[in-house]
C-alpha cells in the first residue's frame, strides 16, 4: 500500500482576510469600552490572531495557551490537554478566546469552563472555522469566520503533523491509500 495526498483550496487568502476584518469590526462593536483579554489557542490560531489584532486597533492584553484534542493524525483523541496559562488572570474580566477551528467542540468547552471556574465575567469565542457536523459538545461560538464541511484543512496557521501552517489559503488535505502499482 502507498499513501498519497492531495490539496484543494477551500478559502483563498483574500476571502479569509476580508472575513477576519469583518469579525474584528464585530468584536470592536461588542466591546466599545473595556477591552477583553485575548487568549490565543496555540499553535493553530496564531495567524488568525495576528490578523485580528491588526484590525482590532485596540491596545489589548494578549496571552497564549496551548490546548489540543488532536495528536499527530486527523482525528480527535477525545481528551483535551491544556498547558500552562502563565501569568494570565481572568477573574472579573471578559475573555476573548481565539481559536483556529472548532471541531468536536471539546477544546473550546474545556477552556471556557476553565476560565469561568477562575471567575471570568464572560468568555466569548472567535474562531476562524467551524465544522458544525462534527460537534460532540454543544458550544456557543460568538464570532465564526466560516462554517465548513467535515474535511481536514490545513493552512492559515493550521497544520498536519506540524506542517503547512505557513500556507496563505485554507486548503483541504486529502489522504488516500492505494495499493502499490494501482493506476
Ligand atoms: P475540538 O476540540 O475537537 O473542537 O478540536 C479543535 C482543535 O482540533 C483545533 O484547535 C485544531 O487544532 C484541531 N483541528 C480540528 N480540525 C482540524 C482540521 O481540519 N485541521 C487542523 N486542525 C484541526
Amino acid at each position: 500500500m502507498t499513501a498519497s495526498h492531495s490539496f484543494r483550496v477551500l478559502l483563498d487568502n483574500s476571502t479569509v482576510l476580508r472575513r477576519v476584518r469583518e469579525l474584528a469590526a464585530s468584536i470592536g462593536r461588542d466591546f466599545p469600552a473595556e477591552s477583553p483579554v485575548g487568549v490565543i489557542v496555540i499553535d493553530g490560531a496564531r495567524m488568525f490572531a495576528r490578523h485580528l489584532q491588526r484590525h482590532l486597533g485596540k491596545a489589548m492584553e494578549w496571552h497564549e495557551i496551548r490546548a489540543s484534542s488532536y495528536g499527530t493524525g486527523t482525528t480527535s483523541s477525545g481528551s483535551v490537554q491544556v498547558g500552562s496559562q502563565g501569568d494570565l488572570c481572568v477573574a472579573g474580566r471578559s475573555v476573548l478566546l481565539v481559536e483556529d477551528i472548532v471541531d468536536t467542540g471539546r477544546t473550546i468547552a474545556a477552556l471556557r469552563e476553565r476560565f469561568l471556574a477562575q471567575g471570568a465575567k464572560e468568555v466569548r469565542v472567535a474562531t476562524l472555522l467551524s465544522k458544525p457536523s462534527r460537534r460532540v459538545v454543544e458550544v456557543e461560538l460568538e464570532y465564526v469566520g466560516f462554517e465548513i464541511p467535515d474535511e481536514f484543512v490545513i493552512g492559515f496557521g493550521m497544520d498536519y503533523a506540524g506542517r503547512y501552517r505557513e500556507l496563505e489559503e485554507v486548503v483541504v488535505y486529502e489522504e488516500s491509500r492505494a495499493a502499490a502499482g494501482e493506476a
Side-chain angles (χ1 to χ4, degrees):
M1 294 278 275
T2 52
S4 65
H5 53 261
S6 60
F7 301 92
R8 177 167 43 88
V9 175
L10 186 64
L11 301 163
D12 65 30
N13 185 254
S14 58
T15 304
V16 173
L17 294 184
R18 198 175 325 119
R19 185 70 185 127
V20 174
R21 266 202 306 277
E22 289 171 2
L23 293 181
S26 304
I27 295 166
R29 274 196 300 274
D30 290 352
F31 293 96
E34 199 189 340
S35 294
V37 54
V39 180
I40 304 162
V41 186
I42 60 170
D43 294 315
R46 273 203 183 115
M47 195 181 293
F48 172 42
R50 199 163 60 236
H51 288 278
L52 259 189
Q53 287 165 335
R54 188 173 302 158
H55 295 294
L56 275 169
K58 294 178 182 223
M60 267 175 64
E61 180 184 326
W62 291 95
H63 294 261
E64 293 187 339
I65 198 160
R66 192 173 293 282
S68 106
S69 63
Y70 268 84
T72 52
T74 58
T75 51
S76 175
S77 66
S79 65
V80 179
Q81 284 127 37
V82 181
S84 156
Q85 68 182 73
D87 60 357
L88 167 63
C89 177
V90 299
R93 307 176 74 185
S94 297
V95 175
L96 179 69
L97 266 176
V98 179
E99 175 65 299
D100 53 356
I101 180 162
V102 177
D103 184 52
T104 64
R106 289 189 181 107
T107 305
I108 280 302
L111 289 172
R112 196 196 290 268
E113 202 176 303
R114 179 192 183 97
F115 292 136
L116 288 175
Q118 291 176 5
K121 192 160 70 179
E122 63 171 335
V123 179
R124 293 194 193 187
V125 178
T127 185
L128 180 65
L129 305 175
S130 170
K131 290 185 205 171
S133 65
R134 292 263 311 156
R135 214 68 92 234
V136 171
V137 178
E138 266 323 304
V139 280
E140 204 176 322
L141 305 174
E142 286 77 7
Y143 311 100
V144 178
F146 303 91
E147 292 196 339
I148 65 166
D150 179 11
E151 293 184 294
F152 192 80
V153 291
I154 52 170
F156 209 82
M158 289 165 287
D159 74 311
Y160 171 71
R163 290 186 286 166
Y164 311 115
R165 288 192 198 284
E166 71 288 354
L167 296 178
E168 292 191 333
E169 305 88 6
V170 174
V171 175
V172 175
Y173 179 91
E174 279 158 344
E175 201 165 57
S176 56
R177 292 193 172 273
E182 230 175 60

